[in-house]
Amino acid sequence: MNEVKTMPPISVVMPVYNVAEFVGQAIQSVLDQTMKDFELIIVDDCSPDNSIEICESFHDPRIRIVRHTQNRGLAGARNTGIHAARAPLIAFLDSDDFWHPQKLEKHLEHMQRRTSVGISFSRSAFVDRWGMPLRCYQMPLLSGITPDHLFCRNPVGNGSAPVVRREVFDAIGYQAEFQGEPEIRYFDSELRRSEDIECWLRISLRTRWGIEGIPDPLTFYRLNEGGLSANLHKQLESWEEVVEKTRTYSPQFVERHYRTARAFQLRYLSRQAIRLRDGETAMRFLQRAFTADKRILLQEPARTLCTASAAFLLRALPRSYQFFERQALQVIGLLQKRRIQRDIKTI
């Protein structure tokens, strides 16, 4: 057994709610890390299934389970985990995703080397519901990330990619009230979606900490249609709530970038609709994106044209779409892998 030190260098925070099918793989991916000195804080957000029984079947002194008495959502569970964490670095893992064995080791090295970076994130590899690789990757901007880029594109990508310095959370925590008692919040638990982009944007706008990625795909991001992203219209509503909250402290920033950011958000939702095999909705979101700001075609022509082509083919030829998609993904995945290998060699 590995002994837990008084203060490990990294705390891993993993909210758990209704993920019995996946949570064992998530936990095992943490225990299999090449870096052994960490603590894993599992936050039971009143899960109705047997997820916590699965968590309890792992006997390792580095694991702690913190229990909610009331469901508080992903943001509330992350806040609970941050409060419970003892380490100067806090990594987040959504319990339907999993990690590469070198995830914590590479982020620790990155943040020791780059002391101005407050959020270190990795590229992510897509896997299917059963955890099998789809050989495609999230390929965001890794450096030179500005608030407007973050607002428009969210390069962090997903909740299992970032490692954050505790000092960053100390800088942006705010006091709120829950059940008549004061509490400090970092993620906005009033949001049930888009809570991560709201937090990263607030960090970028209100602190001097940098946000930077590493080229390795160290997070395995599960494409699960039953997840929070499935209801696209509610996701758009949550994004608009983020806009309104940001407007309260940075109105000029929102005014300057809102149209472009909305266009990119609508394009993202079009891609999500394509993944859900809803060509009609994908085309509607894309049309709204161009109405919001046609400049997305000039700023990111390849991604925008790929989205438009896929949406059109899915709506026009739904029975043949899977063949076209499979061929396109093979080419895209190969090009992405070559770029990843090149980027890794150059750091």
Side-chain angles (χ1 to χ4, degrees):
M1 285 285 186
N2 294 283
E3 293 295 328
V4 180
K5 295 181 180 179
T6 304
M7 184 183 290
I10 298 183
S11 297
V12 180
V13 171
M14 187 171 73
V16 170
Y17 182 82
N18 205 26
V19 283
E21 184 178 356
F22 311 120
V23 69
Q25 186 177 23
I27 293 173
Q28 192 60 55
S29 77
V30 180
L31 300 181
D32 288 343
Q33 291 295 299
T34 54
M35 175 187 164
K36 301 301 182 183
D37 189 11
F38 60 82
E39 63 174 356
L40 170 58
I41 300 168
I42 294 170
V43 183
D44 175 14
D45 197 25
C46 302
S47 184
D49 64 358
N50 67 326
S51 295
I52 295 303
E53 286 80 358
I54 294 171
C55 296
E56 291 172 334
S57 71
F58 287 86
H59 302 289
D60 191 297
R62 295 169 294 182
I63 298 175
R64 284 191 287 149
I65 299 177
V66 181
R67 302 177 191 274
H68 279 174
T69 58
Q70 178 180 327
N71 177 266
R72 301 203 58 186
L74 195 54
R78 286 176 180 155
N79 289 337
T80 295
I82 294 167
H83 284 297
R86 297 177 296 174
L89 300 178
I90 302 173
F92 296 93
L93 175 60
D94 290 345
S95 46
D96 54 352
D97 299 328
F98 56 102
W99 281 344
H100 186 281
Q102 290 184 293
K103 170 79 173 176
L104 294 182
E105 176 187 340
K106 293 206 171 203
H107 281 290
L108 179 61
E109 188 277 332
H110 180 220
M111 299 187 86
Q112 287 175 337
R113 178 168 46 86
R114 300 281 289 160
T115 56
S116 64
V117 171
I119 301 176
S120 171
F121 65 92
S122 68
R123 282 175 171 149
S124 297
F126 292 114
V127 298
D128 65 16
R129 181 181 182 88
W130 298 275
M132 299 303 294
L134 296 174
R135 296 182 175 83
C136 282
Y137 306 86
Q138 286 185 330
M139 300 291 290
L141 182 71
L142 299 178
S143 61
I145 296 168
T146 58
D148 56 298
H149 185 92
L150 191 67
F151 189 29
C152 293
R153 300 169 184 84
N154 185 20
V156 179
N158 63 80
S160 301
V163 178
V164 185
R165 296 186 195 272
R166 174 175 289 281
E167 294 171 81
V168 174
F169 287 123
D170 290 341
I172 56 100
Y174 63 96
Q175 189 160 323
E177 192 174 283
F178 178 67
Q179 295 183 335
E181 297 292 330
E183 66 174 10
I184 301 296
R185 293 180 184 170
Y186 311 101
F187 292 94
D188 185 350
S189 55
E190 300 300 318
L191 295 170
R192 289 296 176 128
R193 297 171 179 83
S194 303
E195 74 293 326
D196 50 352
I197 180 58
E198 189 281 322
C199 187
W200 312 146
L201 187 57
R202 184 158 27 100
I203 289 167
S204 185
L205 285 168
R206 308 200 78 170
T207 79
R208 294 185 177 182
W209 288 104
I211 300 175
E212 191 172 279
I214 54 181
D216 311 64
L218 302 174
T219 297
F220 295 99
Y221 180 56
R222 197 182 306 269
L223 295 181
N224 175 21
E225 282 75 12
L228 289 177
S229 298
N231 194 322
L232 303 181
H233 294 285
K234 285 187 177 180
Q235 191 165 340
L236 180 60
E237 290 174 8
S238 292
W239 184 84
E240 293 287 0
E241 290 178 27
V242 171
V243 171
E244 291 310 308
K245 178 170 181 176
T246 306
R247 199 189 301 273
T248 63
Y249 63 85
S250 192
Q252 292 180 340
F253 170 82
V254 172
E255 183 67 25
R256 188 161 57 250
H257 299 292
Y258 172 72
R259 287 182 57 194
T260 305
R262 178 176 170 82
F264 277 113
Q265 179 67 14
L266 288 164
R267 190 192 68 176
Y268 165 76
L269 293 173
S270 178
R271 292 203 306 271
Q272 294 295 90
I274 291 166
R275 182 163 67 82
L276 295 170
R277 298 293 187 264
D278 187 344
E280 192 64 39
T281 298
M283 285 299 297
R284 284 200 297 269
F285 274 127
L286 195 61
Q287 288 165 357
R288 292 171 68 184
F290 285 129
T291 300
D293 193 341
K294 295 181 177 63
R295 288 176 296 177
I296 62 172
L297 184 57
L298 298 175
Q299 293 184 26
E300 291 191 355
R303 289 187 183 186
T304 304
L305 288 172
C306 281
T307 303
S309 300
F312 175 79
L313 284 171
L314 181 58
R315 188 176 69 170
L317 301 168
R319 294 183 180 180
S320 304
Y321 175 76
Q322 191 169 359
F323 169 78
F324 290 113
E325 180 187 54
R326 187 164 55 247
Q327 300 304 310
L329 289 178
Q330 286 180 356
V331 175
I332 291 170
L334 181 61
L335 294 173
Q336 289 177 331
K337 191 170 183 179
R338 287 178 178 173
R339 182 178 169 188
I340 289 169
Q341 291 170 342
R342 184 174 67 246
D343 291 347
I344 291 173
K345 289 178 181 179
T346 57
I347 59 171

